[in-house]
Amino acid sequence: MTSLPLIPVDPDAPGARRAAMPPQHLADLDLAGRKDLVTKLGEASFRARQISTHYFGRLVRDPALMTDLPTSSRERLADQLLPRLLTPVRELACDDGATRKALWRLHDGSLVESVLMGYPDRVTVCISSQAGCGMACPFCATGQAGLTRNLSTAEIVDQAVYLAGVAASGKVAGSPPRLSHVVFMGMGEPLANYNRVVTAIRRLVAPAPEGLGLSQRHITVSTVGLVPAIHRLASEDLSVTLALSLHAPDDELRDELVPVNQRWKVCEVLDAAWAYAARTGRRVSIEYAMIKDVNDQPWRADLLGRLLAGKLAHVNLIPLNPTPGSRWDASPKPVEREFVRRLRDAGVSTTVRDTRGREIDGACGQLAAAEDSGTDPAGEMTA
Ligand code: SAH
């Protein structure tokens, strides 16, 4: 077994090299903060609400389109409140346009990705919380390159606002036009960028024009299992869904698949998940990538079933998605079916995730943000 870093990298720790954070944006501030800033700029405080209504209410991100702002003020307000955070590099589509992956360049050249998924009854965006990731899970493409930096609150929120605008434009045929769900399952470990992620959630759920007005229950935070941060999240007055990337029911294998397990063991991370469920009343989603001959044995299904039976939990099996250079494959379907059967026999609710976006490297674990990666069969350039 490999020995991997025990302590998650924290770029905000004292002494850590501070990565270049982007300029402040209105989504970093609550409405009161925006009013303060606008007043300091010598503008009437109602301009804060006006510009917020454009951004969060109408999903307009381009100041040139905010024509009810006098031209003289518009530029000054745009400079201070709407700096360009995300520059689109490429947008790829598959599933007849129902899945779209956006690749962004940030102000410091870092690349991140987000994915929009349309369903008949809902529209979900999967957003990134960090450029890269420090968690080093060997089966995940993002984990291979390491962590570049945390995203700011506004860099996180702007991904959702941009893609909510794409959905509203009707580009996602066969889906409602309104963004309904956000999952923190893009690049990065959201709980390693705790404060900015929690602030971003507050913006996503605040009613317009303060925020995007999504339901807390429609927001999912996925984590490798940073135990203290799970407890902290439970104590916020939020009831977002927690997803735990478990991937193995035993420490020996999980130490390898999810290296942070060397710091917080399976029993500790599950205890934290049950504490979260008890506190919020929300069922925890247990993520389990099915990896052929690695974690898909019947005995591991039985062990997982015993750990989860009677708990407020739902298992989401994810067929392993291919990543460059990976030595692992997805489990064969009959093995997957047997795994599901054993979990259900143990009384554990289980589904197999429909993995969207494989053809565009937009599926779980495939977000690596290499600008020149892959070809572009169904996509289009939008930069
Ligand atoms: N760092 C967080 C957020 C990323 S979410 C976390 O790990 O939970 C991405 C989800 O996809 C996680 O459950 C992750 O373990 C899973 N995943 C990563 N690589 C994968 C792959 N190659 N195939 C299938 N799922 C994968």
Side-chain angles (χ1 to χ4, degrees), residues 133 135 139-141 184-186 188-190 222-224 243 245 247 287 289 318-323 353 364-366:
C133 184
M135 298 297 129
F139 57 93
C140 175
F184 284 82
M185 294 190 181
E189 167 51 43
S222 182
T223 179
V224 288
S245 294
H247 306 309
E287 311 294 295
I318 317 170
L320 185 80
N321 289 309
T323 58
R353 184 183 290 170
C364 303
Q366 293 183 309

Side-chain angles (χ1 to χ4, degrees), residues 95-229:
D95 304 323
D96 289 331
T99 304
R100 319 178 78 93
K101 179 169 91 161
L103 172 67
W104 316 106
R105 183 176 294 105
L106 308 181
H107 82 110
D108 62 346
S110 302
L111 297 172
V112 296
E113 289 173 312
S114 335
V115 185
L116 174 69
M117 290 162 287
Y119 301 87
D121 59 335
R122 68 197 152 96
V123 175
T124 300
V125 299
C126 173
I127 58 177
S128 297
S129 56
Q130 299 183 308
C133 184
M135 298 297 129
C137 302
F139 57 93
C140 175
T142 311
Q144 305 316 301
L147 177 65
T148 304
R149 70 167 169 87
N150 283 324
L151 300 193
S152 70
T153 293
E155 284 174 321
I156 297 169
V157 172
D158 204 33
Q159 298 169 56
V161 172
Y162 178 96
L163 290 174
V166 171
S169 74
K171 275 195 191 165
V172 191
S175 296
R178 197 175 144 67
L179 171 69
S180 51
H181 291 67
V182 171
V183 298
F184 284 82
M185 294 190 181
M187 300 174 76
E189 167 51 43
L191 296 187
N193 185 14
Y194 187 89
N195 289 333
R196 296 183 192 89
V197 164
V198 167
T199 309
I201 294 169
R202 296 199 188 285
R203 294 298 170 266
L204 295 175
V205 303
E210 174 140 18
L212 207 48
L214 300 180
S215 153
Q216 292 190 18
R217 293 166 169 259
H218 290 176
I219 294 185
T220 299
V221 174
S222 182
T223 179
V224 288
L226 306 185
V227 165

